[in-house]
Amino acid sequence: MTATVSAKIPDEMKKDIEDEDINVSEVIRNALEEELVERRREKLRRDASSLREKVGDGVETEDIVSAVRETREDR
């Protein structure tokens, strides 16, 4: 299943996109995917930081990140 998204852009930008033969759908998909990945990474960092505060310095960050990832993958 797919969904359609839209955005308003200036006429000049639309002309430039057409002149450059840019695949708008591909660019938008890639940009949104990158944004999602970055936001998920940031959330993972916050989760790891929160866990570190709760358990103290006895656990390595990599161990916390690994545990959080495993938990998320199980869902």
Side-chain angles (χ1 to χ4, degrees), residues 3-56:
T4 301
V5 296
S6 64
K8 292 188 180 266
I9 60 172
D11 291 336
E12 183 64 27
M13 181 184 286
K14 174 69 171 154
K15 180 184 176 306
D16 292 342
I17 289 169
E18 291 170 350
D19 290 347
E20 295 295 328
D21 196 31
I22 294 173
N23 183 333
V24 174
S25 294
E26 182 180 338
V27 171
I28 291 171
R29 275 191 302 273
N30 290 338
L32 289 172
E33 183 63 34
E34 288 175 20
E35 183 67 19
L36 284 170
V37 167
E38 184 54 38
R39 287 180 184 225
R40 289 173 180 156
R41 282 185 184 144
E42 183 55 38
K43 178 151 181 14
L44 188 58
R45 284 186 201 102
R46 286 192 310 269
D47 290 348
S49 177
S50 175
L51 284 172
R52 177 176 289 287
E53 289 174 11
K54 291 177 182 175
V55 299

